[in-house]
Amino acid sequence: MRDVFTALSSPVRREILALLRERALTAGEIADRIPLAKPTLSGHFNVLKQAGLVSADRQGSTITYRINTSVVEDALAALLRLTRRETE
Amino acid sequence: MRDVFTALSSPVRREILALLRERALTAGEIADRIPLAKPTLSGHFNVLKQAGLVSADRQGSTITYRINTSVVEDALAALLRLTRRETE
DNA sequence: CAGCTATTTTGCTGATTAGCAAAATAACGA
DNA sequence: TCGTTATTTTGCTAATCAGCAAAATAGCTG
């Protein structure tokens, strides 16, 4: 499982997550909204998937991605611990 | 100002922040706790400083680093927005 | 100023990353 | 099976990054 923070460090990947926050989208719909080649985006999808930040499911020839909110919340909790002085 | 998430993506830098959460430390004290060469750590301090995550001040020949909690909280708020559907 | 301590900057190498075009894979319908 | 659409994988290049040793800088003390 790739590090969640590494996955979040890319502006492109945060943009993908921001789009998915509104609703689940297919790879093609995401490609319509972000001006990068599809193979490039596909690589980003892989990073997000490995980090557990999104899940993918195929319907026929299209693949729909959705954000995995609980993993974002875990990252959030880790950051929150950096602001508090008590034991983790 | 370097991206906060890029700065947070390194485990070494998150470890530095975790140490600084307890109390402000000099560069040497951090080097005593993390098994990396001082020049390597100095590079990490620079990244954290550029991201605004820590501030440094020199007392004589020693430099003390302290965590800038408010910037960590800004990153936290950005992550929080990824989990909520309403407008930012 | 000379020597000492704390820390950074420089310069290098090897590893990782982001981007793309081209090729491959998967599913569908005629 | 052939062609079309959706998407990924492969293979490449240029750029960035992490680590270190050596050199440079900053401040202190005698």
Side-chain angles (χ1 to χ4, degrees):
Chain A
M1 169 97 99
R2 178 193 268 256
D3 179 62
V4 172
F5 286 101
T6 304
L8 288 171
S9 70
S10 152
V12 173
R13 289 191 290 267
R14 291 200 302 276
E15 171 68 16
I16 293 170
L17 290 174
L19 291 173
L20 294 180
R21 185 194 53 182
E22 296 301 324
R23 67 175 179 85
L25 294 169
T26 67
E29 288 173 329
I30 296 171
D32 288 343
R33 291 160 169 77
I34 297 182
L36 289 174
K38 282 173 182 179
T40 302
L41 290 171
S42 185
H44 286 300
F45 299 156
N46 263 330
V47 174
L48 290 168
K49 239 189 316 186
Q50 275 184 264
L53 284 164
V54 305
S55 60
D57 66 299
R58 178 182 284 269
Q59 297 113 10
S61 61
T62 74
I63 298 178
T64 298
Y65 288 95
R66 59 178 37 77
I67 193 169
N68 188 350
T69 305
S70 70
V71 178
V72 179
E73 280 169 353
D74 287 349
L76 199 133
L79 270 187
L80 195 65
R81 279 197 294 276
L82 287 181
T83 70
R84 304 200 163 274
R85 213 170 308 275
E86 58 242 354
T87 321
E88 323 196 9
Chain B
M1 169 99 98
R2 178 191 269 257
D3 180 61
V4 172
F5 285 101
T6 303
L8 288 172
S9 70
S10 152
V12 172
R13 289 190 290 266
R14 292 200 302 277
E15 172 69 16
I16 293 169
L17 290 174
L19 291 172
L20 294 180
R21 185 194 53 182
E22 296 300 325
R23 66 176 180 84
L25 294 169
T26 67
E29 287 173 328
I30 296 172
D32 288 343
R33 291 159 169 78
I34 297 182
L36 289 174
K38 282 173 183 178
T40 302
L41 289 171
S42 185
H44 287 299
F45 299 156
N46 263 330
V47 174
L48 290 169
K49 238 189 314 184
Q50 277 185 263
L53 285 164
V54 305
S55 59
D57 66 300
R58 178 182 284 271
Q59 297 114 8
S61 62
T62 75
I63 298 177
T64 299
Y65 288 96
R66 59 178 39 77
I67 194 170
N68 187 349
T69 305
S70 70
V71 178
V72 179
E73 280 168 356
D74 287 349
L76 200 131
L79 270 187
L80 195 64
R81 280 196 292 276
L82 287 182
T83 71
R84 304 199 164 276
R85 214 171 307 274
E86 59 243 354
T87 321
E88 325 196 6

